[in-house]
Amino acid sequence: MTDRFVLHEYSASGNCYKVRLTAALLGIPLERREYDIMNGETRTPDFLENVNANGRIPVLQIGDRFIPESNAACYFVADGSNLIPTDRFDHADMLRWMFWEQYNHEPNIATLRFWILEVGLDRLADVQRLQMAPKRLAGNAALRLMDDHLKGREWLVGNAISVADICLFAYTHVADEADYDLELYPEVIRWMEQIMELPNFVEMEA
Ligand SMILES: N[C@@H](CCC(=O)N[C@@H](CS)C(=O)NCC(=O)O)C(=O)O
């Protein structure tokens, strides 16, 4: 018998949505456990000891084992499916985009969105306020890079959808909520529309 998958999550998080979307597209059921990150529920001694010592969600639980980090969890869910390229180069290229998302995209786009939507501009610390302009610049550079890359291509990697598209979609499609102007990136818009038309697509939750 295979273990069921449990997603430890905060439903408004794009990082958690990546895992839900990957599972939904593949028709894989997920049991969900919600944590209120605004009230420190991922920082309790119990969570740190038993779920993720890094104090963050998403965490995918398989039996009594836990995989933190959204992109690793997506990879695990998608392993063996058509979302994981078998060609060696394409496989490494998929990983390239997933690592890039964590370094160049998510820290700029997701963080600004979190500060604007969830924390509130008037409650930002000075150090966060100072980071807003550089993050906006870097976020726009990430969207520009994606738009340029997608010219003449349907998907980020090779000729087929991969889990890298899902990981990048999560925060790209809500970048406007962080005041990024997506109209500047028409190839990105076309690519996002393709994803939203996939069978079994599920929306992000507010
Ligand atoms: N690199 C991690 C980032 C995880 C992360 O930052 N999670 C946020 C929500 S999106 C969180 O748990 N914040 C709660 C906290 O830091 O206490 C991933 O991709 O999973």
Side-chain angles (χ1 to χ4, degrees), residues 10 13-16 18 37-38 40 42-43 54-58 68-71 101-102 106 114 171:
Y10 173 64
S13 149
N15 282 320
C16 299
K18 289 173 194 175
I37 60 170
M38 304 308 282
T42 59
R43 300 288 168 159
N54 198 32
R56 291 179 171 82
I57 43 79
E69 294 299 325
S70 55
N71 292 354
E101 188 263 354
Q102 287 284 294
E106 193 260 13
F114 182 71
Y171 282 112

Side-chain angles (χ1 to χ4, degrees), residues 99-109 138-139 141-143 145:
F99 297 144
W100 179 83
E101 188 263 354
Q102 287 284 294
Y103 191 80
N104 290 80
H105 187 287
E106 193 260 13
N108 301 307
I109 296 175
L143 293 168
L145 188 139

Side-chain angles (χ1 to χ4, degrees), residues 107-169:
N108 301 307
I109 296 175
T111 304
L112 275 194
R113 176 174 173 272
F114 182 71
W115 287 351
I116 293 169
L117 275 192
E118 306 247 355
V119 180
L121 287 177
D122 50 336
R123 295 179 57 204
L124 289 184
D126 288 345
V127 63
Q128 293 171 319
R129 222 179 290 280
L130 283 173
Q131 287 178 49
M132 286 199 66
K135 280 190 183 293
R136 183 156 308 286
L137 210 62
N140 274 308
L143 293 168
R144 167 58 44 223
L145 188 139
M146 286 174 72
D147 203 67
D148 288 346
H149 179 76
L150 285 165
K151 279 187 188 117
R153 317 176 56 98
E154 262 190 287
W155 304 105
L156 289 171
V157 177
N159 295 319
I161 184 171
S162 73
V163 79
D165 294 291
I166 309 305
C167 293
L168 262 310
F169 173 80

Side-chain angles (χ1 to χ4, degrees), residues 64-94:
D64 58 1
R65 296 191 293 175
F66 296 81
I67 302 182
E69 294 299 325
S70 55
N71 292 354
C74 289
Y75 183 92
F76 185 91
V77 170
D79 196 17
S81 78
N82 65 349
L83 293 179
I84 305 289
T86 49
D87 174 84
R88 187 173 173 184
F89 182 90
D90 287 349
H91 193 100
D93 206 27
M94 168 199 74

Side-chain angles (χ1 to χ4, degrees), residues 17-85:
Y17 171 58
K18 289 173 194 175
V19 188
R20 287 202 308 276
L21 180 56
T22 304
L25 293 176
L26 295 171
I28 296 172
L30 280 182
E31 185 181 318
R32 301 171 60 180
R33 293 214 191 128
E34 182 79 9
Y35 297 80
D36 183 355
I37 60 170
M38 304 308 282
N39 279 313
E41 286 185 4
T42 59
R43 300 288 168 159
T44 63
D46 180 54
F47 187 92
L48 296 172
E49 190 179 331
N50 296 311
V51 182
N52 181 9
N54 198 32
R56 291 179 171 82
I57 43 79
V59 178
L60 184 70
Q61 180 180 354
I62 306 103
D64 58 1
R65 296 191 293 175
F66 296 81
I67 302 182
E69 294 299 325
S70 55
N71 292 354
C74 289
Y75 183 92
F76 185 91
V77 170
D79 196 17
S81 78
N82 65 349
L83 293 179
I84 305 289

